[in-house]
Amino acid sequence: MNHCSYLKNLSLFRILKGVVRSRFYIHKPQVASMGLLTEGSPLSWEETKVLAEHVRHHGIEQFINLYDKLRDRTGDVLKWGDEVEYIIVKFDDKTQRATVSLRADELLPKLQEKEQADPQNVKSLWRPEYGAYMVEGTPGKPYGGLLAHFNIVEANMRYRRAEASTLLKDGEVIMSITNFPRLGCPNFTSPPYTPTPDKGVTRSHFFPDEGIFPGHPRFKTLTSNIRKRRGEKVAINIPIYRDKNTKIPIDDSHVLEPGVAQPDAVYMDAMGFGMGCCCLQLTFQACCITEARTLYDQLAPLCPIMLALSAASPIYRGFLTDVDCRWNVISASVDCRTREERGHEPLKNNKFRIQKSRYDSIDSYLSPDHEKYNDIPIIHDEAIYRRLREGGIDHPLALHVAHLFIRDTVSLFTERVHQDDANDTDHFENIQSTNWQTMRFKPPPPNSPIGWRVEFRPCEAQLTDFENAAYVCFVVLLTRVILSYQLNFVMPISKVDENMQRAQRRGAVLTQRFWWRRDVGAPRTVVPAHQPSPDAPDQYLEMTVQEIVNGKEGVFPGLIPLIDSYLSGMDVDADTHCSVQQYLKLIQRRAAGEIHTMATWMREFVTTHPEYKNDSVVSEKINYDLLKTAHGIQTGAIPAPTLLGGSIASKTNEDIPKAFTKMMSKDCP
């Protein structure tokens, strides 16, 4: 790209990972999808609650100081990286059971040895995740502006999976599945543990505390504090898939939790049901703050589309549900709002009535040009907003930060209570990183070569490295197209919110229609037909994912045709060209319904299994066979034409110099 000067290979991903996601630190920058990991002694909720205003006040001062120093920073190169989360599954072939293996704390120190020995040249980075059965892997350094980098992604994902697999015991496998189907069922862990609803941090009927990663106190502290701040356990009710023999009530949850558990829903009562899910995320470093805000805004409408396209989690707590995605499950699993804040009681002890969980879709765009599309109430702290404006921060960005800061901190460590606001940002990151939204706007860390970044968060984890690479490359290519063609995908936030709910419905990729902008400003060489006036009443239309991705004649050119147009003017080596075309073909075919999403494939497997009784129940045997088959597909031992199509042999290559030596005349499958 010519938007920024291309910098030479900088081995920044170790830092980029630590601050690219604004998480928490253990020793050197370490991260997880949960938030900022700080080493130290966690405070109790009672102690943390007293310090809530202290954290808010100093977090805002830290942001103002950081913004003042770095607002004019320019010249950073486009860099990007992916994050894939994995579940350690254990198969017992004798009993034909599959469980999650609680060995993440054993694997992680070994996986991190290469980073500790040679941090500048390591090929992968490994971090803890919420579940004691989960690990997160990223590339060892960020990818950059070369198109050849698209051909490295899958190879690096393969390397990560192989690296983790060498540490597994007999019967264990590493799987990039979004959700373990029988999470929360009796004895779903290895070794087995019994939930303790009357004690511990979770107090769940289904999810034992031992299922939480034990290697850092942050995870259990966060679990306990969210429950205590809310004033009751989290409550997740996901509608059951009603088959002909489905029983209502589906189980005795409504007896265990009367008035909370809905009889026609799968009830879950622990943070682990949400944060114990896996996802696929992307982080982009922009050239400057303006470009970062542009990417944040333009990618936000894409989030629901990618959620529907990547749908991979229709089964919860051993039941087939009527949703395909994890999003609302996680949202409810960390919903720390009190009854007052949720609108169930008049405001008395709390300041705000808050419409969403702290894990949800974004509430506002950041660019001044897009303020008019912020058509939902943006609840914010007026005093914080005024202080930000006094600190030189413009209206939309000040509103965004003041909105994030209506939340309390839910995890604080003794050693980090008092900070130097001129040089530290931990209080800001404490609240920023526990606002888990579809997009995240990320300032540069203090005294770092890292620039302004955005994080793209909606995608579900895919089964194979090929699929994960395809989704990653598709989204990254769209960022290139957006910036090169100066496209405009922005629409009213209310329509994006509506799309997010539609995206999670069963079979949404084929059955739902999504609001989409008709005229995105594509060049007339790409869209020669007449386009409507920007003020036309049908500026936003309801379209299928197929029409948005592949185009609708006379209405919208399609995302992949826009990418094809962009690539047609670029010099790209043969191997990269072949791989990218394979990736785009997968996305095209999923959007068109020619091949299934993982969610649809799982539904079909369950409902056609010989032991399925048309009762929405995913038994131990069905779960075992499902995951055994999925693992076979993952390794390439079992073909999956309905999930992947025919041949998916990309020409991924982790060596860029070799990629550049290939001739364009080379055959492409």
Side-chain angles (χ1 to χ4, degrees):
M1 290 182 62
N2 295 323
H3 310 299
C4 313
S5 58
Y6 180 76
L7 302 180
K8 294 181 179 179
N9 282 337
L10 298 175
S11 298
L12 292 179
F13 205 75
R14 182 171 59 89
I15 308 170
L16 192 63
K17 177 67 178 149
V19 284
V20 148
R21 302 184 53 195
S22 55
R23 309 295 187 184
F24 28 91
Y25 307 149
I26 309 174
H27 306 303
K28 60 186 80 172
Q30 295 218 16
V31 297
S33 293
M34 298 298 308
L36 186 69
L37 282 173
T38 305
E39 189 176 62
S41 306
L43 298 175
S44 68
W45 169 242
E46 291 71 22
E47 294 167 325
T48 301
K49 183 178 180 180
V50 171
L51 291 166
E53 288 303 325
H54 171 88
V55 173
R56 253 192 291 271
H57 169 76
H58 289 280
I60 291 300
E61 294 305 313
Q62 290 171 3
F63 178 73
I64 290 171
N65 291 333
L66 188 69
Y67 180 85
D68 185 59
K69 293 176 185 176
L70 299 173
R71 63 191 297 177
D72 297 323
R73 173 178 176 150
T74 59
D76 290 310
V77 63
L78 171 68
K79 287 185 176 292
W80 53 277
D82 68 85
E83 304 155 20
V84 182
E85 295 166 358
Y86 305 89
I87 289 176
I88 308 166
V89 174
K90 183 175 182 179
F91 292 114
D92 186 329
D93 295 333
K94 183 177 291 187
T95 62
Q96 295 197 314
R97 292 185 71 242
T99 53
V100 294
S101 180
L102 307 183
R103 291 211 308 122
D105 61 327
E106 295 179 41
L107 266 61
L108 272 168
K110 297 175 182 177
L111 288 169
Q112 293 173 332
E113 285 176 356
K114 294 178 183 177
E115 177 189 355
Q116 293 167 355
D118 188 7
Q120 299 304 315
N121 296 301
V122 71
K123 292 170 64 176
S124 62
L125 299 175
W126 294 94
R127 297 293 178 257
E129 266 302 334
Y130 182 88
Y133 49 88
M134 300 169 67
V135 290
E136 176 190 280
T138 71
K141 62 180 70 175
Y143 305 120
L146 298 175
L147 287 176
H149 283 135
F150 291 113
N151 209 34
I152 305 175
V153 177
E154 186 184 347
N156 189 270
M157 289 178 177
R158 290 180 184 177
Y159 173 84
R160 282 176 253 166
R161 196 185 296 269
E163 185 179 30
S165 296
T166 62
L167 303 176
L168 301 177
K169 294 181 178 180
D170 289 346
E172 290 179 342
V173 297
I174 197 97
M175 299 187 73
S176 50
I177 52 175
T178 296
N179 181 49
F180 183 76
R182 285 182 59 85
L183 198 77
C185 293
N187 300 322
F188 74 94
T189 65
S190 287
Y193 289 98
T194 302
T196 53
D198 297 323
K199 63 180 181 179
V201 298
T202 297
R203 303 199 176 183
S204 169
H205 292 289
F206 316 107
F207 194 98
D209 287 357
E210 290 83 0
I212 305 171
F213 181 76
H216 195 279
R218 164 82 177 203
F219 298 107
K220 287 186 177 180
T221 300
L222 202 56
T223 304
S224 177
N225 287 355
I226 283 176
R227 175 175 54 80
K228 289 179 178 178
R229 189 194 185 283
R230 178 182 171 92
E232 57 194 19
K233 288 194 300 184
V234 297
I236 310 162
N237 285 284
I238 302 300
I240 191 73
Y241 168 68
R242 291 180 181 247
D243 210 338
K244 62 182 180 181
N245 295 328
T246 302
K247 296 179 181 178
I248 305 296
I250 65 168
D251 62 7
D252 64 352
S253 295
H254 67 292
V255 177
L256 294 172
E257 297 287 350
V260 178
Q262 299 171 9
D264 58 349
V266 179
Y267 170 70
M268 295 167 278
D269 63 349
M271 186 172 171
F273 285 107
M275 286 300 186
C277 291
C278 295
C279 64
L280 172 68
Q281 297 181 359
L282 283 150
T283 300
F284 306 93
Q285 175 178 271
C287 301
C288 58
I289 186 174
T290 300
E291 185 173 278
R293 291 166 79 163
T294 296
L295 285 174
Y296 180 97
D297 290 1
Q298 298 301 337
L299 290 175
L302 186 68
C303 290
I305 312 306
M306 294 307 299
L307 183 61
L309 258 177
S310 64
S313 50
I315 305 169
Y316 291 92
R317 204 165 62 76
F319 290 99
L320 202 55
T321 71
D322 216 30
V323 303
D324 275 2
C325 303
R326 78 199 188 286
W327 194 265
N328 283 352
V329 177
I330 310 183
S331 179
S333 79
V334 293
D335 190 354
C336 66
R337 293 175 299 162
T338 66
R339 291 185 60 80
E340 292 179 16
E341 290 169 332
R342 283 177 278 144
H344 298 321
E345 296 176 1
L347 286 175
K348 180 180 178 182
N349 300 310
N350 299 111
K351 293 172 64 176
F352 307 105
R353 183 153 294 163
I354 304 174
Q355 299 302 314
K356 297 179 182 179
S357 166
R358 63 197 303 154
Y359 192 115
D360 217 310
S361 52
I362 68 165
D363 283 326
S364 67
Y365 296 113
L366 299 186
S367 299
D369 290 346
H370 302 146
E371 285 184 54
K372 63 182 178 181
Y373 300 105
N374 294 333
D375 66 335
I376 63 174
I378 306 171
I379 308 301
H380 63 282
D381 190 305
E382 286 286 354
I384 287 176
Y385 171 79
R386 287 195 300 271
R387 177 67 192 104
L388 289 163
R389 296 290 280 136
E390 291 167 1
I393 301 184
D394 60 78
H395 169 69
L397 187 54
L399 198 62
H400 167 74
V401 175
H403 173 64
L404 298 183
F405 272 65
I406 62 175
R407 311 288 180 175
D408 285 342
T409 175
V410 282
S411 181
L412 192 59
F413 289 77
T414 305
E415 293 81 356
R416 299 303 298 158
V417 171
H418 302 291
Q419 300 176 23
D420 175 5
D421 291 346
N423 296 295
D424 291 332
T425 58
D426 273 15
H427 282 324
F428 170 73
E429 295 294 355
N430 185 306
I431 292 179
Q432 145 100 342
S433 69
T434 52
N435 274 270
W436 299 283
Q437 298 181 333
T438 43
M439 297 292 303
R440 182 175 284 151
F441 176 74
K442 307 172 73 152
N447 307 312
S448 166
I450 305 303
W452 295 91
R453 294 141 297 140
V454 294
E455 186 174 306
F456 186 81
R457 303 173 47 82
C459 293
E460 308 236 299
Q462 302 298 291
L463 182 62
T464 66
D465 298 319
F466 176 84
E467 293 168 280
N468 283 318
Y471 281 78
V472 164
C473 291
F474 175 64
V475 175
V476 177
L477 280 167
L478 279 176
T479 66
R480 310 287 180 93
V481 173
I482 288 167
L483 296 175
S484 295
Y485 290 162
Q486 297 183 326
L487 300 182
N488 183 13
F489 293 156
V490 173
M491 68 180 80
I493 283 283
S494 61
K495 295 188 183 301
V496 179
D497 279 355
E498 191 173 340
N499 284 350
M500 278 297 293
Q501 296 309 309
R502 295 180 182 185
Q504 300 173 66
R505 294 173 185 165
R506 172 166 51 93
V509 72
L510 298 182
T511 64
Q512 296 298 306
R513 302 180 73 83
F514 298 87
W515 291 106
W516 193 254
R517 192 181 185 100
R518 180 168 178 167
D519 182 3
V520 298
R524 290 299 174 258
T525 54
V526 182
V527 192
H530 172 72
Q531 291 292 297
S533 162
D535 298 322
D538 59 352
Q539 184 178 1
Y540 313 106
L541 300 178
E542 292 180 291
M543 301 186 197
T544 64
V545 172
Q546 149 80 346
E547 292 166 343
I548 292 169
V549 171
N550 295 320
K552 183 176 183 180
E553 187 174 358
V555 178
F556 180 68
L559 298 177
I560 286 185
L562 286 168
I563 290 174
D564 286 338
S565 172
Y566 169 79
L567 290 174
S568 68
M570 307 295 289
D571 291 329
V572 57
D573 66 277
D575 283 1
T576 300
H577 173 77
C578 292
S579 295
V580 167
Q581 290 305 312
Q582 290 270 24
Y583 298 153
L584 295 181
K585 184 178 180 182
L586 177 84
I587 302 295
Q588 283 180 305
R589 298 190 69 191
R590 283 252 168 101
E594 295 174 14
I595 54 177
H596 293 333
T597 63
M598 182 62 180
T600 298
W601 181 88
M602 292 173 74
R603 284 184 187 281
E604 188 174 87
F605 186 96
V606 169
T607 56
T608 58
H609 192 281
E611 288 200 7
Y612 179 65
K613 300 176 181 178
N614 301 104
D615 56 0
S616 310
V617 174
V618 180
S619 66
E620 290 276 21
K621 172 60 173 169
I622 296 174
N623 184 57
Y624 172 83
D625 289 345
L626 172 68
L627 293 177
K628 268 286 187 179
T629 304
H631 183 252
I633 294 170
Q634 179 181 288
T635 60
I638 297 177
T642 61
L643 179 68
L644 302 174
S647 172
I648 58 167
S650 68
K651 296 194 173 183
T652 185
N653 187 337
E654 63 182 26
D655 192 335
I656 283 185
K658 288 183 181 178
F660 275 130
T661 65
K662 305 295 183 182
M663 299 300 293
M664 287 301 294
S665 60
K666 193 169 183 178
D667 291 337
C668 179

